[in-house]
Amino acid sequence: PWGFEKNKGITPAEAMNQLYSQKGGFHERIIVDCSTLLGIIYYRAAQEMMGDDKFNSYYEQAPMTMGQLEEKFSTSDRVKTAKDPNNLTRKEKRDHTIKEDMKMVFISSLNELVPGDKVFFKNHPDYKTYGGGVWNGEYAVYMGKGIFEGFGARESYQNMIKKLWKATIKNRRKAFRKDKAAKKKYKRRGKKINDKTHLQDGRYLGGRPGISTEVYRFDFQSVNNNKKNR
């Protein structure tokens, strides 16, 4: 697992300010993946909305984690179910809030997304089969009006899918140039080299590449209300 976890002896606000004040050359800065970056953005938004004092009070006693380390919430007192979140069924995920401020919701169409939703675009499995790389998937924030913004990518749904397909086809062609047997095996599947047939997968809208039906929604209103009542 990768990500960040707040050190002891430093306030949540100080931790966020440190992340947003990186200076120096590229090799001296903190480098993050797309999932961790979105976690940082959500915490920063909550900090700016609540102010440092409320932000510190709210996150002082709870683990403040981002990226894959968010799974550590499964051992905190902020979990709404005694079961490990990673072992929940789809229905249990829908019925339980894993974290007070981050809820998992299930969508059946893009129309159900709301601005601020954390989504995941998953590429076709052939991308990984024929070399893999940074375009295996892309975490992004839904900005509204059909636009998604990821790590260096601000695109419509259609353009994001096109980028994933382009990366997959590039990997296929590169692999086939090096391995003729792989090309013959692929043709025996009855596909063309530039085939763009989505792999049917119910976990993703339209198949793969596509957007996951599992969406994380940060409940800023709940966070703000909880602080007002304290």
Side-chain angles (χ1 to χ4, degrees):
W2 61 83
F4 292 95
E5 185 171 19
K6 182 181 72 64
N7 290 328
K8 295 180 179 179
I10 186 173
T11 68
E14 287 173 337
M16 291 308 303
N17 291 339
Q18 185 182 55
L19 285 173
Y20 272 80
S21 62
Q22 296 299 306
K23 297 180 180 180
F26 180 78
H27 65 286
E28 298 174 304
R29 301 176 185 176
I30 294 175
I31 300 176
V32 301
D33 66 290
C34 55
S35 177
T36 304
L37 176 64
L38 293 190
I40 294 173
I41 291 173
Y42 283 126
Y43 279 120
R44 186 64 163 184
Q47 179 188 11
E48 293 182 352
M49 181 184 72
M50 299 163 66
D52 286 357
D53 290 341
K54 291 182 178 180
F55 184 75
N56 286 336
S57 178
Y58 186 74
Y59 287 106
E60 194 67 46
Q61 303 302 322
M64 186 177 175
T65 58
M66 307 162 200
Q68 285 197 349
L69 290 178
E70 291 175 9
E71 295 174 3
K72 287 193 174 183
F73 273 105
S74 62
T75 61
S76 80
D77 59 359
R78 299 172 66 209
V79 177
K80 295 297 186 180
T81 174
K83 293 186 65 175
D84 182 347
N86 297 313
N87 294 327
L88 295 178
T89 65
R90 289 174 65 89
K91 183 179 185 302
E92 288 172 329
K93 286 181 179 180
R94 185 186 302 111
D95 293 342
H96 292 279
T97 299
I98 296 178
K99 290 175 285 188
E100 288 183 357
D101 49 14
M102 183 71 81
K103 298 179 179 179
M104 177 179 284
V105 297
F106 288 84
I107 62 171
S108 57
S109 75
L110 296 177
N111 294 331
E112 297 174 31
L113 292 172
V114 299
D117 281 350
K118 177 182 177 180
V119 303
F120 182 64
F121 287 87
K122 182 69 172 178
N123 207 343
H124 194 284
D126 276 2
Y127 177 78
K128 188 175 182 179
T129 299
Y130 296 111
V134 298
W135 284 105
N136 185 53
E138 176 75 10
Y139 282 98
V141 175
Y142 180 59
M143 306 299 291
K145 298 182 179 180
I147 299 298
F148 299 84
E149 185 158 354
F151 209 158
R154 184 183 178 91
E155 305 285 356
S156 66
Y157 173 81
Q158 291 78 9
N159 286 343
M160 189 72 80
I161 297 301
K162 287 180 181 179
K163 280 193 171 185
L164 294 175
W165 268 125
K166 184 177 180 180
T168 295
I169 293 172
K170 183 178 180 180
N171 271 17
R172 284 175 182 165
R173 289 175 174 171
K174 184 177 180 180
F176 294 161
R177 284 195 296 268
K178 294 181 179 180
D179 188 349
K180 301 300 182 182
K183 182 176 181 179
K184 291 180 179 179
K185 183 178 180 180
Y186 180 81
K187 284 187 173 181
R188 284 199 295 270
R189 289 164 51 184
K191 306 290 186 181
K192 297 179 180 179
I193 293 179
N194 63 347
D195 169 64
K196 290 188 178 182
T197 302
H198 287 249
L199 175 70
Q200 294 304 308
D201 189 333
R203 297 171 298 173
Y204 302 91
L205 297 182
R208 292 171 57 183
I211 194 170
S212 174
T213 59
E214 298 180 356
V215 173
Y216 282 101
R217 185 166 294 166
F218 199 94
D219 192 353
F220 290 108
Q221 189 64 44
S222 175
V223 170
N224 203 31
N225 289 340
N226 283 341
K227 282 312 304 162
K228 289 180 179 179
N229 294 331
R230 292 190 180 188

